[in-house]
Amino acid sequence: MMIIEQAAALVFQPYVLGVILLSAIFGMFVGAIPGLTATMATALLVPLTFFMEPVPAIAAIVTATAMAIFAGDIPAAMLRMPGTPANAAYVEDAYRMTISGRGDDALGAALVFSAIGGLFGSIVLMTLSPVLAEIALKFSSEEYFFLVLLGLSCAVFVSPGSPTRGLISLLIGLFFATIGIDNPSGEPRFAFGNVELMAGIQFIPAMIGLFAVSEVLRTVTSTTPRGAVPKMDGGGIFKSQWKNLKTYPVQAARGSVTGTALGILPGAGADIAAWISYAISKRFSKHKELFGKGHVEGLVEAGSANNSSVSGAWIPALVFGIPGDSITAIVIGVLYVKGINPGPAIFINDPSSIYAIFIVFLIANIIMLPLGWLAIRGARPILSIPPAMLMPMILMFCIVGAFAINNSMAGIVMMLFFGLLGFFMEENDIPIAPAILGLVLGPMLEQNFISSMIKADGNPMGFFERPIAAGLGVFTILVWLLPLILLAWRHARRPARAA
């Protein structure tokens, strides 16, 4: 109880509450701009967090992320343009509801069930993280090695599109993670005599480039004009939500559980959670034929999933130091800068800060309701900003953010390079998320692999000597073999059917 009181004292200060409010407004703004992601909102906030204490710095990121993912539903419903990838799963239903005169109902469902899913995920985060931390204290380099492998594997198998493209993206990220001083020999790798590259790839400029600059390039080169904003008053968004809650309680609960579970998996995130939850909703619906034609059921389930996954992604980030998605990958970097090392020991060394983060999650999802209502009411002028004015402003923020990391032009050069790389990757349907995770987890994978091999005198079987490591290792191998097993099973059934 004393820890919770200390955590509350860290949060309920005028300065921290002001940071939460301003971050919520910023997140709403970024999420409501078509194509700008919650990850980009987080990346743009990072330079500002350098001047904050740990709790307000993390509070800013938590709040902006939750708001941005919901706010992406606003252009999805009004313009058929999802604000973030997480909103793309049900954009067709949301837009068709709007053009049929039920736009307030669509945005109301997105707002209310995003808040419900976010609160559910926050409660799971509060209750499950300390338990997992106690287990994680028993982990050594072998267990972390297999956890990282599992996270990288999940990123490939659940990526949008084919697993092959996901694997290509992952290998790109892992390659860039090898740039810098070799571990443990100290030899420069792929640095070509450049001092900046010897320090390795700076993650934040790479992140801003892959997500933000690539989006600027995509918008500038696009020939598709914006559509007109439908007429909506935004005044009755809550009227039908009690009815939706009574009609679809199973869908709301299922979406919240699915989103949280997928969020815990390293590499999944809100985007994949929304798509999978929408697919599950359609699979078990009694009205499958209505999906994609303006039906609110899939929106309820996927909307619950995308925000609950935000909280779930923090569980592996805090407990194991492994990012659950690209946003928590940035958060881990911010925590390290603030002198807070993610991992099970954080629950012992700095419990008040951790519980302060939990409280921020609850506050963020509660204030989402009134701020979301205001955002919907004021969305029309924001959405009408011409791209010719918006994109230069975004590029300016990107340059400032990349330079502020080390006060070096190298950050800007890296940002522009990764912007071009991200643009060409998405133009060829290669997802960005696996590359980001490869860049983040690559050093951790190498470090734990080398540490384990040194302890085992070079014997690979040393990875399986500890019970937990052996279990994780076997499970990871089964995940790798699963596609081959399914392929063999399908081939085995074909002759039987032919006979």
Side-chain angles (χ1 to χ4, degrees):
M1 184 61 71
M2 184 177 295
I3 294 175
I4 296 177
E5 291 176 358
Q6 293 172 350
L10 291 173
V11 175
F12 291 102
Q13 301 179 28
Y15 172 67
V16 177
L17 294 177
V19 168
I20 291 174
L21 179 61
L22 292 175
S23 301
I25 296 171
F26 173 75
M28 286 283 184
F29 175 82
V30 173
I33 302 299
L36 306 189
T37 65
T39 305
M40 178 181 171
T42 304
L44 292 175
L45 275 177
V46 168
L48 297 178
T49 63
F50 294 160
F51 307 100
M52 301 179 186
E53 293 297 317
V55 171
I58 301 302
I61 294 176
V62 168
T63 308
T65 302
M67 300 300 166
I69 289 180
F70 153 69
D73 290 321
I74 298 175
M78 291 184 175
L79 299 176
R80 201 183 181 188
M81 298 173 66
T84 71
N87 314 115
Y90 45 87
V91 61
E92 195 67 33
D93 280 307
Y95 182 71
R96 286 179 177 266
M97 288 178 70
T98 298
I99 61 177
S100 64
R102 295 182 293 138
D104 287 340
D105 186 20
L107 286 173
L111 174 59
V112 170
F113 290 97
S114 289
I116 290 174
L119 288 170
F120 176 86
S122 300
I123 293 170
V124 173
L125 173 66
M126 295 173 65
T127 55
L128 193 58
S129 294
V131 177
L132 286 176
E134 292 183 12
I135 299 174
L137 284 170
K138 303 176 182 177
F139 279 28
S140 185
S141 58
E142 294 84 2
E143 286 83 3
Y144 276 103
F145 172 75
F146 284 122
L147 271 178
V148 173
L149 277 183
L150 185 60
L152 295 173
S153 305
C154 291
V156 171
F157 290 122
V158 299
S159 291
S162 71
T164 303
R165 286 189 170 91
L167 180 60
I168 292 172
S169 177
L170 176 63
L171 292 176
I172 290 172
L174 288 173
F175 166 73
F176 284 110
T178 64
I179 295 176
I181 300 297
D182 183 22
N183 173 36
S185 68
E187 286 292 324
R189 294 182 300 192
F190 306 110
F192 307 107
N194 187 294
V195 177
E196 299 286 351
L197 288 179
M198 287 183 187
I201 296 297
Q202 300 174 23
F203 172 67
I204 299 301
M207 192 78 184
I208 295 174
L210 285 170
F211 282 97
V213 177
S214 64
E215 186 60 41
V216 171
L217 292 173
R218 205 159 28 252
T219 302
V220 169
T221 57
S222 175
T223 57
T224 305
R226 286 190 179 190
V229 180
K231 291 184 178 181
M232 290 175 56
D233 58 17
I237 63 173
F238 296 115
K239 288 181 180 178
S240 57
Q241 300 320 310
W242 180 245
K243 177 183 176 182
N244 285 334
L245 188 58
K246 290 193 296 183
T247 306
Y248 304 114
V250 174
Q251 287 80 354
R254 190 169 57 200
S256 298
V257 172
T258 302
T260 305
L262 288 172
I264 294 173
L265 289 177
D271 307 349
I272 295 165
W275 281 101
I276 291 178
S277 292
Y278 185 84
I280 291 173
S281 182
K282 184 176 181 179
R283 169 65 180 81
F284 292 101
S285 174
K286 297 178 181 178
H287 306 285
K288 296 182 179 65
E289 70 282 358
L290 298 179
F291 278 68
K293 300 178 181 178
H295 190 44
V296 76
E297 183 177 352
L299 200 153
V300 166
E301 185 156 348
S304 301
N306 58 19
N307 266 57
S308 63
S309 68
V310 172
S311 305
W314 280 68
I315 294 176
L318 292 177
V319 175
F320 301 110
I322 296 175
D325 57 9
S326 53
I327 293 171
T328 48
I330 298 176
V331 169
I332 288 175
V334 173
L335 288 173
Y336 277 120
V337 170
K338 297 299 179 183
I340 301 175
N341 297 333
I346 195 175
F347 289 84
I348 298 174
N349 298 333
D350 199 3
S352 58
S353 295
I354 295 301
Y355 279 89
I357 294 173
F358 296 160
I359 294 173
V360 169
F361 267 99
L362 295 175
I363 294 174
N365 285 285
I366 291 172
I367 66 172
M368 184 188 297
L369 294 171
L371 291 179
W373 178 78
L374 291 173
I376 293 169
R377 294 295 299 267
R380 287 179 62 88
I382 294 175
L383 294 176
S384 63
I385 298 175
M389 293 177 58
L390 180 64
M391 292 303 138
M393 293 169 56
I394 292 172
L395 188 58
M396 180 185 69
F397 282 119
C398 292
I399 292 172
V400 171
F403 180 82
I405 301 301
N406 286 324
N407 292 326
S408 169
M409 286 296 296
I412 298 176
V413 174
M414 288 183 187
M415 177 198 74
L416 295 175
F417 170 80
F418 280 97
L420 289 171
L421 177 64
F423 174 77
F424 285 113
M425 285 175 65
E426 293 208 332
E427 286 295 304
N428 292 280
D429 296 324
I430 298 176
I432 288 177
I436 289 294
L437 289 168
L439 188 59
V440 175
L441 295 181
M444 188 183 300
L445 181 72
E446 181 182 23
Q447 180 180 354
N448 286 297
F449 174 77
I450 291 175
S451 298
S452 301
M453 290 295 285
I454 291 174
K455 287 191 294 184
D457 290 329
N459 181 11
M461 293 308 297
F463 286 94
F464 298 91
E465 289 179 355
R466 295 163 59 90
I468 298 178
L472 287 171
V474 170
F475 182 72
T476 303
I477 293 171
L478 288 176
V479 169
W480 291 348
L481 294 178
L482 182 61
L484 297 176
I485 294 172
L486 292 175
L487 184 63
W489 182 68
R490 291 193 190 102
H491 278 291
R493 291 189 64 186
R494 284 177 185 172
R497 288 180 178 176

